[in-house]
Amino acid sequence: MDKLLIQGGAPLQGEVRISGAKNAALPILCAGLLTSETVSLTNVPHLRDVTTMLSLLGGMGMQVTVDETMELTLNGAHIHRREAPYDMVKTMRASILVLGPLLARFGEARVSLPGGCAIGSRPVDLHIKGLKAMGAQIEIEHGYIVARAERLKGTRIFMDLVSVTGTENLMMAATLAEGETVIENAAREPEVVDLAQCLTSMGARISGAGTDVIRIRGVERLSGARHRIMPDRIETGTYLCAAAATGGEIRLLDTSASYLDAVLDKLMDAGCDIVTEKSPDHEAIRLRAPRKLTAVSVRTAPYPAFPTDMQAQFMALNTIARGTAVIRETIFENRFMHAVELKRLGANIRIDGNQAVVEGVERLTGAAVMATDLRASASLVIAGLVAEGETLIDRIYHLDRGYEAIEEKLSRLGARIKRVR
């Protein structure tokens, strides 16, 4: 099993390109199930989760090709299997996103209950409740969601909890439903907006994406389209935190500050100097770290508040900052597992329920640590870049799910990092 070996102490310097967003690419890949025509996608990140999703879609009969310009095309003209089996689904919760498109276009779907990172309960009840409200008959049989509907009917759906994948699944299903569907308390994340833009280019009639009320007027069929995946705001935030923690200065290309207000505000509170660049054909973000970071407290909440996917990275940053920070996690109940591993590197962290108190120390020291989930892995990489001596991170397959070529990009910025077995 691959590991990452990091020799800490080198400040990150230089520039690197940000990849397309994993959390936008996965639902947009599933949207290819909604049409028999070709959907062409650019800026698709090369990640394990994307490969898993493409394997899942290919097993259903989706034709997938990649040309010499790295443009990925999907053609769902010959979908012969309306099932997402457990062996494909168990490693990736986003596979639940095939449920809405399959049901909307074919009137049936059989999808295994999903797996993924062990960071707490992320129930699919909201997906099932919404599809039932649209007229679907759904049963849970032997660990599978079995859904049937002649044609879904537009309706009003109130989301009891803000759910990104729930919003995306129901929005995709509603594009081919009869009449209008209104999703209230919808997720406002930029990735939801990116999906809506792709669906609109396919002929869907959607308004309100990016607000908490999304309206979808169903159409008889969707066509093919061409779409560019948005930049990954979490990868962007992760590299900014890594540069801040190491006392570096970096420039991130092909990304946008417009998705990152909460994160950039906290980095500036920590003492970082941030400059954004924007022109019709170019966007970038520059960060210069201070001599000593100031501890910053954060509280996670749905977009546009501080993202739960950046909580672990800020915990790593706070371990060597001046002062004490309080981190409150309100989204997932089991997302402080990285704290134990950070303490192995010398961090001073106390956990009390959904709250972590991080008191900055003068230095971290290298040690062997183990990644427990995707963003926890990123926090350990940041800590390893700061720590004196060698840090060996085990179970980095989590990183490969969400960060494209992370050791190559960090090496380009001057990090001493390599993949070992």
Side-chain angles (χ1 to χ4, degrees):
M1 187 179 293
D2 286 358
K3 303 176 178 64
L4 279 183
L5 181 64
I6 303 173
Q7 182 73 39
L12 299 188
Q13 305 280 348
E15 61 183 34
V16 72
R17 177 189 170 275
I18 294 300
S19 301
K22 173 182 85 83
N23 290 339
L26 295 177
I28 288 172
L29 290 174
C30 295
L33 291 168
L34 289 164
T35 179
S36 61
E37 298 182 19
T38 298
V39 176
S40 299
L41 302 172
T42 59
N43 205 35
V44 179
H46 300 286
L47 302 169
R48 180 171 293 182
D49 273 10
V50 170
T51 302
T52 300
M53 183 63 80
L54 291 174
S55 297
L56 174 60
L57 295 173
M60 295 177 181
M62 180 79 77
Q63 183 179 354
V64 181
T65 57
V66 181
D67 68 14
E68 63 277 2
T69 66
M70 299 308 292
E71 181 169 310
L72 186 149
T73 62
L74 306 170
N75 187 284
H78 303 291
I79 302 296
H80 57 79
R81 189 181 190 192
R82 288 84 188 248
E83 177 178 333
Y86 175 70
D87 60 344
M88 294 296 298
V89 169
K90 63 183 178 182
T91 61
M92 186 182 64
R93 300 191 66 92
S95 51
I96 190 68
L97 289 165
V98 303
L99 177 61
L102 285 175
L103 185 59
R105 182 176 165 205
F106 300 105
E108 61 179 353
R110 187 171 185 266
V111 179
S112 172
L113 292 167
C117 287
I119 58 174
S121 175
R122 296 195 277 187
V124 297
D125 300 11
L126 295 170
H127 306 242
I128 294 172
K129 179 182 175 183
L131 291 171
K132 282 185 173 180
M134 297 170 73
Q137 295 179 324
I138 299 180
E139 303 291 339
I140 306 297
E141 299 178 359
H142 308 292
Y144 280 79
I145 303 167
V146 180
R148 296 178 181 86
E150 284 191 17
R151 187 182 181 189
L152 296 173
K153 308 288 186 183
T155 188
R156 173 184 172 271
I157 300 170
F158 179 81
M159 307 285 283
D160 295 332
L161 298 170
V162 177
S163 166
V164 175
T165 55
T167 299
E168 292 167 339
N169 226 343
L170 297 176
M171 185 166 65
M172 286 190 284
T175 61
L176 295 178
E178 181 181 341
E180 184 179 70
T181 300
V182 180
I183 304 174
E184 298 181 3
N185 199 29
R188 300 164 59 188
E189 271 71 2
E191 294 80 8
V192 173
V193 177
D194 204 37
L195 172 61
Q197 290 172 343
C198 180
L199 292 170
T200 299
S201 69
M202 294 167 65
R205 299 170 62 186
I206 301 171
S207 63
T211 75
D212 60 357
V213 179
I214 301 176
R215 296 179 182 274
I216 309 101
R217 173 69 65 176
V219 297
E220 289 293 327
R221 58 183 293 277
L222 294 177
S223 62
R226 192 171 188 274
H227 182 78
R228 179 176 174 82
I229 304 295
M230 65 173 280
D232 195 317
R233 61 193 174 100
I234 304 303
E235 184 191 30
T236 301
T238 299
Y239 282 102
L240 292 174
C241 282
T246 60
E249 182 173 358
I250 64 170
R251 180 171 178 255
L252 302 180
L253 308 176
D254 295 342
T255 188
S256 175
S258 60
Y259 314 126
L260 283 164
D261 287 346
V263 170
L264 296 182
D265 284 349
K266 289 297 181 181
L267 285 169
M268 287 187 285
D269 288 347
C272 297
D273 181 29
I274 295 175
V275 176
T276 61
E277 306 171 19
K278 187 171 184 178
S279 67
D281 58 351
H282 158 84
E283 284 194 78
I285 303 174
R286 293 177 179 267
L287 178 141
R288 185 173 67 237
R291 292 175 63 87
K292 182 69 174 177
L293 290 167
T294 300
V296 288
S297 296
V298 299
R299 178 183 184 275
T300 67
Y303 187 86
F306 189 89
T308 182
D309 279 352
M310 285 301 305
Q311 175 258 105
Q313 297 90 314
F314 268 77
M315 184 179 289
L317 182 150
N318 278 316
T319 61
I320 45 85
R322 182 189 300 112
T324 301
V326 177
I327 298 176
R328 293 182 176 86
E329 174 59 60
T330 72
I331 308 296
F332 297 121
E333 74 276 10
N334 194 24
R335 210 170 196 181
F336 283 149
M337 292 185 287
H338 47 279
V340 175
E341 301 301 309
L342 289 172
K343 290 169 74 170
R344 287 179 53 79
L345 300 173
N348 184 349
I349 304 170
R350 302 189 309 278
I351 304 296
D352 182 12
N354 71 337
Q355 179 174 291
V357 179
V358 186
E359 187 173 336
V361 297
E362 282 301 315
R363 64 190 180 100
L364 300 178
T365 54
V369 292
M370 182 178 69
T372 53
D373 62 69
L374 172 55
R375 306 307 173 184
S377 305
S379 76
L380 297 179
V381 170
I382 292 170
L385 293 171
V386 172
E388 295 180 3
E390 287 189 347
T391 297
L392 184 67
I393 306 175
D394 199 358
R395 295 177 66 181
I396 62 165
Y397 58 84
H398 290 293
L399 273 174
D400 294 332
R401 289 183 47 230
Y403 291 94
E404 183 177 33
I406 188 169
E407 71 271 24
E408 296 172 22
K409 290 186 178 183
L410 286 171
S411 293
R412 228 172 289 151
L413 295 171
R416 295 170 291 193
I417 181 172
K418 62 181 178 180
R419 188 174 291 241
V420 298
R421 289 191 176 275

